[in-house]
């Protein structure tokens, strides 16, 4: 038997132990080992078999890195069939997570027990897959069609208690593993045959009608826009209802293979590994360890500061929120309270938990309150003069070794660091609004940031459930630097002939959470307007890239908050409609700037936006601002609503083909005469050398 799986006897029990750290994924060796152990148990005089796992978790699923390669037998469905056909009861003993193929393994057992802290789930959908080892056939037979669909199309983890209530498991264990599972197994022996096999359960034929299925599919079309896997899951459940078990398994298998080979799944698997890669910093001194962060100070109790405070409180880290005056502080604290209140009303948090979190946030108007904190994050007005005042003051009050962070979106953090006598302790921590929700955290390393400060920032990001991505210092860092190119294209497409609706639709059809102009209306057009007021004409760049926005603001159309921006908004429902007045503004601006308007195809709009992102992404890579291409993907996925099933802008480019991207950029350059379409030199080099982005990433990291 393989090293990964062992079999031994304890009295009348046969015990199969899986040991494949870190998450006991079902690699070929593990499948082989379980298969052999189950066979062995059939031949001895054991009366029941317990499957349990070493380490921090039960089996967390198939080995994701094996997908896309030929399957080596025994396959997981074969292993599961062997378990289910065992003549002796097989009991799964779950701790940690039983996910995906891991939970399917447990579903093939005759009984399932779990410790109270365990979770079960079928998260395959988040990888563009469906449960491919019997899950789509067994779960509806176990808990009914509707709960099965909800569980598999959401991919959500389910706690042991809830799983028990739903009927997914048979017992929540009061005592520790493995003894409690052994005791449960002995109870199962007493129960005797026939062994409960989920495959034998009947789904009541009238429990879910074809109309119900149609309605469910429609709901998914809206909620999981553009995604293929959720619909495939419904297909499989429909078959589970209509066909015998074996036929259902064959159908599931064919759909699983189809999904595993799809572009969407390749993209989502890329995202899975990209998010886990992002916090790793390749050039840090390996001997440093993160500084301890027990208390955090936040300066500025606006929307951003309040959101950051909540992100820490949600992770159990106490926060001191600092404002200049009591009035501002009261406003900020009220905002936090309102946000927590909303979460409670939505049923996402208990009143008690919300109060406990809120209690972790206290306020002050005195810088001395920051004297003992381990980290300060400044989230004040974006002006170098203001930052100078704040950081000089922090330099005076903060204890030695405290990390001084700025949440600036655009300003030069090297310059900010120079306002202190301890530039090695200064770092950028760039959160995205709303900071208690958005998962992205850009960690900005200056020329002097110490290695242990970077290590601390990365660890802290994970601790507060963010995905931290390292960025070098440049205007806008990774995300906003790319966004600028994208936003410019929205303005240029508009003045050159596309209407706001068409632009937004082209991008939402691609899968973006919102179109660029709808985003502008939501954020408020006055924000960009005010920012531009502070710039010289030269800094503002091509007037065609902001003249429409300026004209709208000057008409009092600031976006949703004034009921009108690029669109009109219903004051009650906030429903968005197009507005002929906007078209007039666009046409007037086009005339004023000598632009002859023409019609656009959706594909052209899409290319202009996406390739603007991609080309800037290559520049960011060649300048060493981002560590690796997948980090750029993570930024755009977690911070800017890029569809995860497209893998991010750099994955998109690699998938489309670098040569195609390169040639399209040259064509755009020729067509528009704009210098910004010149392909980035890294892209050019890769295309000329016939090297892939993956290859390049591997050789540079
Ligand atoms: C499936 O099961 C298909 C079947 O239906 C059909 C089959 C026929 N494979 O997340 P962490 C690595 S689809 C390979 O940081 P945590 C991960 O990359 C699968 N590797 O830990 C990381 O590596 P590194 C359905 C995996 O404690 C390390 O383990 N299952 C896998 O924060 C630690 O991971 C899922 O989708 C894997 N399945 O969270 C579950 N899982 O150290 C996916 C993890 O080199 N996994 N790794 O960066 C998870 O959700 C989380 O890992 C888990 C632990 C919650 C388990």
């Amino acid at each position: 038997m393989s090293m990964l799986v062992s079999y031994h006897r304890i009295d009348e029990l046969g015990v199969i132990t899986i040991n494949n750290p870190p998450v006991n994924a079902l690699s070929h060796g593990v499948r082989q080992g379980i298969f052999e152990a189950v066979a062995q148990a059939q031949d001895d005089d054991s009366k029941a078999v317990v499957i349990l796992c070493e380490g921090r978790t039960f089996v967390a699923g198939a080995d994701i890195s094996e997908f896309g390669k030929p399957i080596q037998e025994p396959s997981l469905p074969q292993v599961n069939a062997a378990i289910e056909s065992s003549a002796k009861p097989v009991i799964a003993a779950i701790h940690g997570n039983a996910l995906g193929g891991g939970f399917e393994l447990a579903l093939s057992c005759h009984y399932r027990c779990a410790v109270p802290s365990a979770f079960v789930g079928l998260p395959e959908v988040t990888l563009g897959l469906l449960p491919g080892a019997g899950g789509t056939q067994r779960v509806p037979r176990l808990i009914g069609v509707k709960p099965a669909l909800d569980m598999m199309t959401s991919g959500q983890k389910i706690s042991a208690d809830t799983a028990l209530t739903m009927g997914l498991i048979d017992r929540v264990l009061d005592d520790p593993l493995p003894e409690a599972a052994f005791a449960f197994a002995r109870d199962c022996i007493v129960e005797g045959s026939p062994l409960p096999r989920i495959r034998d359960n009947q789904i009541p034929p009238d429990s879910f009608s074809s109309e119900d299925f149609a309605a469910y599919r429609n709901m998914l079309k809206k909620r999981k826009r553009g995604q293929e896997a959720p619909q495939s899951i419904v297909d499989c459940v429909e078959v589970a209802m209509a066909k015998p078990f074996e036929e259902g398994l064959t159908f599931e298998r064919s759909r699983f293979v189809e999904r595993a080979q799809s572009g969407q799944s390749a993209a989502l698997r890329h995202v899975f590994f990209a998010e886990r890669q992002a916090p790793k910093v390749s050039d840090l001194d390996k001997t440093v360890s993160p500084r301890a962060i027990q208390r955090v100070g936040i300066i500025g109790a606006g929307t951003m500061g309040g959101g950051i405070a909540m992100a820490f409180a949600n992770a159990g880290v106490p926060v001191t929120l600092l404002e200049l005056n009591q009035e501002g502080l009261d406003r900020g604290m009220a905002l936090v309270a309102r946000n927590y209140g909303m979460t409670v009303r939505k049923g996402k948090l208990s009143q008690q938990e919300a109060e406990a979190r809120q209690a972790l946030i206290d306020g002050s108007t005195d810088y001395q309150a920051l004297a003992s904190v381990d980290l300060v994050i400044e989230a004040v007005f974006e002006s170098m003069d203001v930052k100078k005042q704040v950081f000089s003051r922090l330099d005076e009050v903060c204890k030695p070794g405290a990390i001084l962070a700025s949440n600036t979106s655009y300003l030069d953090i090297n310059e900010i660091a120079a306002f202190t006598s301890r530039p090695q302790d200064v770092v950028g921590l760039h959160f995205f609004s709303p900071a208690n929700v958005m998962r992205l955290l850009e960690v900005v390393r200056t020329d002097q940031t110490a290695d242990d400060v970077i290590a601390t920032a990365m660890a802290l990001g994970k601790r507060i459930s963010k995905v931290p991505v390292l960025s070098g210092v440049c205007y806008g860092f990774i995300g906003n630097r790319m966004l600028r190119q994208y936003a410019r294209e929205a303005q240029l497409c508009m003045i050159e002939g596309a209407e706001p609706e068409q632009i937004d639709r082209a991008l939402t059809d691609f899968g973006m959470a919102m179109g660029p102009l709808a985003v502008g209306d939501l954020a408020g057009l006055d924000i960009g307007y005010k920012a531009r007021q502070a710039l010289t004409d030269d800094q503002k760049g091509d007037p065609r890239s902001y003249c429409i926005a300026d004209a709208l603001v000057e008409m009092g159309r600031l976006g949703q908050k004034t009921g009108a921006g690029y669109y009109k908004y219903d004051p009650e429902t906030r429903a968005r409609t197009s507005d002929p007045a906007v078209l007039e503004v666009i046409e007037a601006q086009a005339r004023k700037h000598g632009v002859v308007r023409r019609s656009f195809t959706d594909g052209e709009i899409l290319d202009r936006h996406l390739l603007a992102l991609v080309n800037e992404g290559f520049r960011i890579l060649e300048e060493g601002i981002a560590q690796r291409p997948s980090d750029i993907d993570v930024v755009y996925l977690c911070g800017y609503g890029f569809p995860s099933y497209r893998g991010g802008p750099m994955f998109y480019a690699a998938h489309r083909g670098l040569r195609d991207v390169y040639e399209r950029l040259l064509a755009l350059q020729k067509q528009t005469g704009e210098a910004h379409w010149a392909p980035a030199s890294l892209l050019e080099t890769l295309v000329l050398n016939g090297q892939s982005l993956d290859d390049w990433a591997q050789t540079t990291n």
Side-chain angles (χ1 to χ4, degrees):
M1 200 167 299
S2 71
M3 305 273 293
L4 303 167
V5 179
S6 66
Y7 178 73
H8 71 284
R9 290 289 304 278
I10 296 179
D11 305 329
E12 75 275 41
L13 299 178
V15 180
I16 300 177
T17 309
I18 303 170
N19 187 8
N20 183 24
V23 298
N24 290 312
L26 292 160
S27 59
H28 174 246
V30 173
R31 298 196 302 270
Q32 179 78 34
I34 302 171
F35 195 71
E36 286 168 13
V38 171
Q40 190 177 343
Q42 302 306 306
D43 295 336
D44 63 23
D45 62 355
S46 60
K47 296 211 176 65
V49 182
V50 178
I51 301 183
L52 49 81
C53 288
E54 294 281 352
R56 58 175 155 139
T57 181
F58 193 77
V59 174
D63 187 339
I64 301 170
S65 59
E66 279 185 3
F67 288 141
K69 299 171 192 160
I71 298 162
Q72 276 182 285
E73 297 201 338
S75 68
L76 187 56
Q78 286 169 333
V79 173
N80 288 349
I83 294 173
E84 201 170 46
S85 328
S86 162
K88 307 169 182 183
V90 183
I91 295 103
I94 300 169
H95 75 291
N97 292 287
L99 299 179
F103 188 54
E104 291 176 295
L105 180 80
L107 288 169
S108 312
C109 295
H110 306 98
Y111 300 96
R112 287 158 293 286
C113 60
V115 296
S117 58
F119 285 88
V120 304
L122 293 169
E124 285 88 343
V125 70
T126 60
L127 297 167
L129 299 169
L130 47 91
T136 67
Q137 305 303 300
R138 288 195 179 89
V139 179
R141 281 177 167 81
L142 186 62
I143 61 171
V145 172
K146 173 69 168 49
L149 285 172
D150 290 347
M151 175 177 181
M152 293 189 284
T153 59
S154 74
Q156 264 168 11
K157 295 206 284 183
I158 298 169
S159 69
D161 277 336
T162 310
L164 181 69
T165 315
M166 291 172 73
L168 287 164
I169 62 172
D170 304 291
R171 189 177 291 184
V172 176
L173 303 169
D174 294 326
D175 297 312
L177 289 178
E179 283 72 21
F182 295 157
F184 177 60
R186 290 187 189 103
D187 293 350
C188 297
I189 297 172
V190 176
E191 224 169 82
S193 53
L195 293 175
R197 302 189 308 176
I198 296 175
R199 57 179 298 160
D200 299 334
N201 294 2
Q202 298 297 323
I203 306 172
D206 52 357
S207 61
F208 213 72
S209 66
S210 53
E211 289 78 37
D212 292 335
F213 275 110
Y216 204 89
R217 283 180 195 283
N218 274 333
M219 181 275 290
L220 286 177
K221 257 187 215 142
K222 292 190 197 106
R223 285 215 200 137
K224 309 260 166 181
R225 193 160 46 90
Q227 293 181 45
E228 295 155 357
Q231 298 288 343
S232 297
I233 290 172
V234 182
D235 293 345
C236 291
V237 173
E238 228 171 348
V239 169
M241 209 161 171
K243 296 276 164 65
F245 183 74
E246 285 302 334
E247 263 179 68
L249 280 189
T250 310
F251 184 83
E252 178 194 78
R253 192 76 199 156
S254 69
R255 283 300 153 99
F256 177 79
V257 171
E258 186 186 295
R259 286 296 101 232
Q261 288 165 353
S262 69
Q264 290 200 350
S265 179
L268 287 160
R269 276 161 10 223
H270 164 76
V271 174
F272 180 87
F273 289 114
E275 284 184 7
R276 281 157 180 82
Q277 186 75 4
K280 295 173 188 160
V281 180
S282 39
D283 64 356
L284 284 191
D285 176 353
K286 298 278 181 295
T287 61
V288 302
S289 49
R291 299 183 191 175
I293 304 292
Q294 267 142 22
R295 181 162 202 103
V296 174
I298 293 165
I299 308 179
T303 313
M304 190 43 106
I308 299 173
M310 289 174 73
F312 280 97
N314 292 346
V317 183
V319 174
T320 301
L321 202 52
L322 191 87
E323 255 298 341
L324 283 182
N325 54 48
Q326 195 59 40
E327 201 191 329
L329 185 61
D330 291 346
R331 221 179 11 242
M333 297 294 270
L335 191 70
V336 167
R338 201 163 58 234
N339 276 333
Y340 275 123
M342 221 136 70
T343 323
V344 171
R345 271 197 303 284
K346 283 188 196 154
K348 290 186 181 164
L349 203 64
S350 71
Q351 179 71 33
Q352 196 188 4
E353 183 59 26
E355 277 166 20
R357 293 183 189 186
Q358 216 177 308
L360 287 172
I361 305 175
D362 72 20
S364 175
T365 55
D366 181 2
Y367 265 86
Q368 279 308 324
L370 303 180
S372 64
V373 300
D374 306 299
L375 161 71
V376 185
I377 302 170
E378 158 281 306
V380 300
F381 186 66
E382 287 279 79
S383 131
M384 203 44 111
D385 287 341
V386 179
K387 307 282 181 192
K388 181 176 183 178
Q389 287 166 26
V390 169
F391 277 83
S392 327
R393 193 80 184 88
L394 288 177
D395 199 23
E396 290 164 17
V397 299
C398 290
K399 67 181 185 188
I403 295 176
L404 311 181
S406 172
N407 178 53
T408 183
S409 305
Y410 290 99
L411 296 177
D412 181 348
I413 305 184
N414 277 312
E415 201 178 326
I416 294 178
F419 300 138
T420 72
S421 62
R422 33 176 139 172
Q424 73 281 0
D425 295 337
V426 176
V427 68
L429 290 180
H430 185 210
F431 289 81
F432 289 75
S433 195
N436 52 317
V437 177
M438 298 297 284
R439 292 170 65 224
L440 177 62
L441 174 65
E442 280 180 330
V443 174
V444 187
R445 164 147 77 174
T446 72
D447 295 343
Q448 295 189 57
T449 311
D451 278 8
D452 66 340
V453 170
I454 294 297
T456 311
M458 292 313 208
L460 193 67
K462 284 204 275 184
R463 187 166 154 208
I464 59 172
S465 302
K466 304 288 173 209
V467 187
V469 176
L470 189 70
S471 173
V473 177
C474 64
Y475 188 74
F477 314 124
I478 298 173
N480 282 342
R481 173 170 163 176
M482 288 168 73
L483 179 68
R484 230 174 150 223
Q485 309 295 317
Y486 176 87
R488 180 200 62 223
E489 287 313 307
Q491 297 296 320
L492 291 180
C493 287
M494 199 157 50
I495 199 164
E496 289 172 31
E499 292 184 20
E501 295 74 3
Q502 192 193 359
I503 296 170
D504 281 348
R505 195 192 53 231
L507 286 151
T508 51
D509 281 355
F510 174 77
M512 297 295 293
M514 286 175 86
L517 302 166
V519 168
D521 275 356
L522 180 68
L525 304 185
D526 50 324
I527 295 180
Y529 184 84
K530 277 190 204 131
R532 279 190 295 278
Q533 297 299 295
L535 302 177
T536 63
D537 279 352
D538 215 30
Q539 287 169 323
K540 284 198 240 176
D542 182 351
R544 292 173 308 159
S545 68
Y546 58 81
C547 61
I548 297 170
D550 277 5
L552 292 174
V553 170
E554 282 159 15
M555 291 165 73
R557 303 182 67 115
L558 309 186
Q560 283 199 19
K561 59 186 164 192
T562 59
Y566 294 111
Y567 298 93
K568 243 183 341 210
Y569 294 88
D570 185 290
E572 250 129 64
T573 62
R574 285 212 209 160
R576 178 172 89 200
T577 45
S578 56
D579 190 344
V582 173
L583 195 56
E584 280 172 30
V585 171
I586 298 172
E587 281 169 350
Q589 290 299 325
R591 277 195 301 278
K592 186 171 161 194
H593 290 91
V595 181
V596 182
R597 285 168 56 78
R598 62 180 176 89
S599 67
F600 273 75
T601 64
D602 286 6
E604 192 178 4
I605 292 172
L606 200 56
D607 257 6
R608 295 241 323 224
H609 286 79
L610 295 179
L611 297 188
L613 286 179
V614 166
N615 204 27
E616 196 64 24
F618 275 104
R619 293 196 190 103
I620 285 171
L621 281 176
E622 75 195 25
E623 291 170 26
I625 295 292
Q627 288 193 90
R628 44 182 94 88
S630 62
D631 280 8
I632 295 180
D633 289 335
V634 171
V635 165
Y636 246 73
L637 293 159
C638 298
Y640 297 84
F642 201 92
S644 50
Y645 61 84
R646 303 232 188 232
M650 304 315 283
F651 182 87
Y652 167 84
H655 210 67
R656 176 165 168 174
L658 297 190
R659 176 166 290 279
D660 183 34
V661 169
Y662 174 71
E663 282 168 1
R664 189 77 182 97
L665 285 170
L666 287 178
L668 280 166
Q669 189 187 13
K670 198 161 160 219
Q671 183 197 333
T672 63
E674 301 282 2
H676 59 249
W677 288 121
S681 58
L682 172 61
L683 172 61
E684 187 163 73
T685 310
L686 292 182
V687 170
L688 297 183
N689 294 344
Q691 196 182 9
S692 75
L693 196 52
D694 268 353
D695 231 39
W696 176 82
Q698 249 142 41
T699 50
T700 50
N701 257 291

